[in-house]
Amino acid sequence: QVQLVESGGGLVQPGGSLRLSCAASGSTSSFWTMGWYRQAPGKQRDLVARITSSGSTNYVDSVKGRFTISRDNAKNTVYLQMNSLKPEDTAVYYCNTFIAQNYWGQGTQVTVSS
């Protein structure tokens, strides 16, 4: 059984920072490719960043240079450090992995507003 639990969302002013965490269950979670997605109201859920088991990363262009995805395999946790936040980053952020099927966390709200 795969379970993903996100935390770390909240309200932040433009230019501020947040760090999201995703705790993954399962003894083999260190082998999984993990991703962060986001969904704004009325929009589809889109990939933000992804990290492989070996630590290779990729980002959507709109967050490059501002967001950093990382993982701590000893803690079965993936992080998304978000800096220089903009109002357009406002969304529900979801943790994801694909093991024969998509698994999603419950989501965590990020609101960037003054």
Side-chain angles (χ1 to χ4, degrees), residues 12-77:
V12 63
Q13 292 186 342
S17 298
L18 284 173
R19 188 177 81 156
L20 306 183
S21 299
C22 171
S25 66
S27 60
T28 60
S29 61
S30 62
F31 299 104
W32 305 343
T33 291
M34 303 293 297
W36 283 99
Y37 286 70
R38 65 186 179 187
Q39 186 168 21
K43 296 189 177 181
Q44 66 181 22
R45 191 175 298 186
D46 291 325
L47 177 68
V48 175
R50 183 184 288 129
I51 185 166
T52 68
S53 59
S54 62
S56 296
T57 60
N58 65 283
Y59 300 89
V60 66
D61 285 347
S62 60
V63 308
K64 285 180 180 178
R66 301 189 297 122
F67 290 12
T68 302
I69 189 171
S70 62
R71 67 191 301 159
D72 184 337
N73 289 335
K75 296 182 178 180
N76 292 339
T77 301

Side-chain angles (χ1 to χ4, degrees), residues 73-90:
N73 289 335
K75 296 182 178 180
N76 292 339
T77 301
V78 177
Y79 303 98
L80 185 68
Q81 178 66 45
M82 306 185 294
N83 299 327
S84 302
L85 282 161
K86 304 175 181 180
E88 52 263 43
D89 295 317
T90 295

